[in-house]
Amino acid sequence: MKRETPIMDHPFYQPAGNEIEVFEQAWRNRLPLLIKGPTGCGKTRFVAHMAARLGLPLHTVACHDDLTAADLVGRHLIGDGKTVWCDGPLTRAVREGGICYLDEVVEARKDTTVVLHPLADDRRILPIDRTGELLQAPPSFMLVVSYNPGYQNLLKGMKPSTRQRFVSLRFDFPTPVQEEAILIGETACTPDLARRLVGIAGALRALKDRDLEEAASTRLLIYAALLIKGGMDPVAACRTAIVESLTDDIDTVEALMEVVAATFGR
Ligand SMILES: Nc1ncnc2c1ncn2[C@@H]1O[C@H](COP(=O)(O)OP(=O)(O)OP(=O)(O)O)[C@@H](O)[C@H]1O
Ligand SMILES: [Mg+2]
C-alpha cells in the first residue's frame, strides 16, 4: 500500500504543456494539486520527476476502497507489551516537509476527507486525534492527488468541497511527436519503431465504435517497444502488449489487430 521513493536523479519526463510550471507555482504558493487523466498517461511519472526536481522526499499512497484516515495518519502498534505510535505516510510527509501523493484518491474511504480538508486549505494543519498532536505543515510540504475520471469513477466522483481545495491539471494522451520522444526516452527504440507504434496508437484511439473501457496508453506502447526490441515479431508483440490488454472480446481483438497489420503486415 505504501512505499517510499528515494530521491533519485530526475526520472525521465517528457512535458506535454505547462505542467512543470503549474506544479512549481503550486508548490511555491503552498497550494495542493489534483492531477486527472487516463491510465498510463504519465501522472505518477510526473510526480516522481517533480519531487526529484524540487529535491523533496515523496511518499506515495495507492488508495483503495478500504483505505482509512488511520492508514494515512498513523496508528498505535502493539509489540513486546508496549504500545508504539507509528506515523502514516501523510504524517511523515508533513513532518519532513515533503510531497504526499495520493494515487486514485477517489477510491479512499470518506473518512479520509476529515484529515485532508484542513491540510488542503489555507490552514495546512494535520490534527492527530490519537496522539493529541496538531501538526502545522512546513512551507515545503505539498499534497498531490490524482485520479482517472473514466466512467468507473463517475459515480464516486469527488465532493465539490474537496475538489475546490486543489489546483487542477488535466493530463491526456501526448501528441505524436511527444509520444515518440517518450518511447525513445523510455526504451531507446529506433525513431522508426516509435513512429509506427505511435501511429498504431493514434489509429486505435480513433476507433470510436469499439466499446473499449479506455484507449491504448503510452504505457502499453512502451511494453510493445520493449518486446520488439527484444526480438519479438512486431505483430505478436502488439497483440500481447497492446491489443489483449485493451479488451477480452475476441471480435474486438481481431478488429484491433487489423490496425496493427496495416502497419506491420501479417
Ligand atoms: N510524459 C512522459 N514522460 C516520460 N514517460 C512517460 C510519460 N508519460 C508516460 N510515460 C511512461 O508511461 C508509463 C506510464 O506512466 P505513469 O505510470 O506515470 O501513468 P499514470 O498516469 O500514473 O497511470 P495510472 O493512472 O494507470 O497510474 C511510465 O512508466 C513511463 O514509462
Ligand atoms: Mg499512476
Side-chain angles (χ1 to χ4, degrees), residues 96-109:
E96 287 176 2
I99 295 174
C100 184
Y101 173 39
L102 307 180
D103 204 353
E104 282 301 331
V105 67
V106 290
E107 295 289 338
R109 289 256 194 102

Side-chain angles (χ1 to χ4, degrees), residues 226-243:
L226 290 173
L227 296 184
I228 294 168
K229 267 194 73 187
M232 196 184 257
D233 167 64
V235 174
C238 288
R239 177 186 287 271
T240 193
I242 301 175
V243 173

Side-chain angles (χ1 to χ4, degrees), residues 192-224:
D192 179 61
L193 178 57
R195 202 157 38 242
R196 286 168 185 247
L197 288 171
V198 169
I200 289 173
L204 292 178
R205 288 167 191 163
L207 288 177
K208 292 270 186 283
D209 56 330
R210 288 291 162 187
D211 210 10
L212 297 177
E213 272 181 44
E214 199 134 305
S217 64
T218 306
R219 180 186 288 131
L220 294 184
L221 302 188
I222 289 167
Y223 290 176

Side-chain angles (χ1 to χ4, degrees), residues 12-14 19 35-50 101 146 171-174 179 182 217-219 222:
F12 166 67
Y13 178 73
Q14 170 71 39
E19 67 272 32
I35 306 170
K36 52 188 163 181
T39 184
C41 67
K43 302 183 293 295
T44 299
R45 173 61 65 90
F46 173 60
V47 177
H49 174 83
M50 292 308 300
Y101 173 39
S146 70
F171 274 39
D172 214 330
F173 301 115
E179 197 159 39
I182 294 170
S217 64
T218 306
R219 180 186 288 131
I222 289 167

Side-chain angles (χ1 to χ4, degrees), residues 56-104:
L56 298 170
L58 173 62
H59 297 268
T60 300
V61 182
C63 299
H64 53 79
D65 53 10
D66 273 339
L67 186 107
T68 63
D71 292 324
L72 294 178
V73 174
R75 49 172 50 92
H76 284 108
L77 299 179
I78 301 160
D80 288 342
K82 283 184 298 190
T83 307
V84 189
W85 172 257
C86 185
D87 280 345
L90 181 63
T91 306
R92 278 203 298 278
V94 170
R95 286 197 208 279
E96 287 176 2
I99 295 174
C100 184
Y101 173 39
L102 307 180
D103 204 353
E104 282 301 331

Side-chain angles (χ1 to χ4, degrees), residues 6-165:
I7 299 173
M8 38 181 167
D9 275 347
H10 303 188
F12 166 67
Y13 178 73
Q14 170 71 39
N18 68 343
E19 67 272 32
I20 291 180
E21 186 197 347
V22 169
F23 194 110
E24 284 179 350
Q25 281 280 356
W27 177 69
R28 230 176 283 132
N29 286 289
R30 304 172 198 179
L31 304 174
L33 179 70
L34 180 154
I35 306 170
K36 52 188 163 181
T39 184
C41 67
K43 302 183 293 295
T44 299
R45 173 61 65 90
F46 173 60
V47 177
H49 174 83
M50 292 308 300
R53 199 180 169 107
L54 297 170
L56 298 170
L58 173 62
H59 297 268
T60 300
V61 182
C63 299
H64 53 79
D65 53 10
D66 273 339
L67 186 107
T68 63
D71 292 324
L72 294 178
V73 174
R75 49 172 50 92
H76 284 108
L77 299 179
I78 301 160
D80 288 342
K82 283 184 298 190
T83 307
V84 189
W85 172 257
C86 185
D87 280 345
L90 181 63
T91 306
R92 278 203 298 278
V94 170
R95 286 197 208 279
E96 287 176 2
I99 295 174
C100 184
Y101 173 39
L102 307 180
D103 204 353
E104 282 301 331
V105 67
V106 290
E107 295 289 338
R109 289 256 194 102
K110 291 292 165 259
D111 74 331
T112 53
T113 56
V114 175
V115 291
L116 294 181
H117 276 200
L119 202 50
D121 60 33
D122 65 303
R123 291 171 287 172
R124 289 172 58 89
I125 51 171
L126 177 64
I128 311 179
D129 291 346
R130 296 185 192 184
T131 63
E133 277 179 288
L134 181 66
L135 299 183
Q136 178 71 56
S140 61
F141 168 77
M142 184 174 185
L143 180 63
V144 181
V145 303
S146 70
Y147 77 104
N148 178 344
Y151 80 92
Q152 70 275 31
N153 285 333
L154 278 183
L155 287 179
K156 291 184 181 171
M158 219 186 199
K159 288 200 306 187
S161 57
T162 307
R163 300 180 71 100
Q164 294 199 23
R165 280 176 157 76

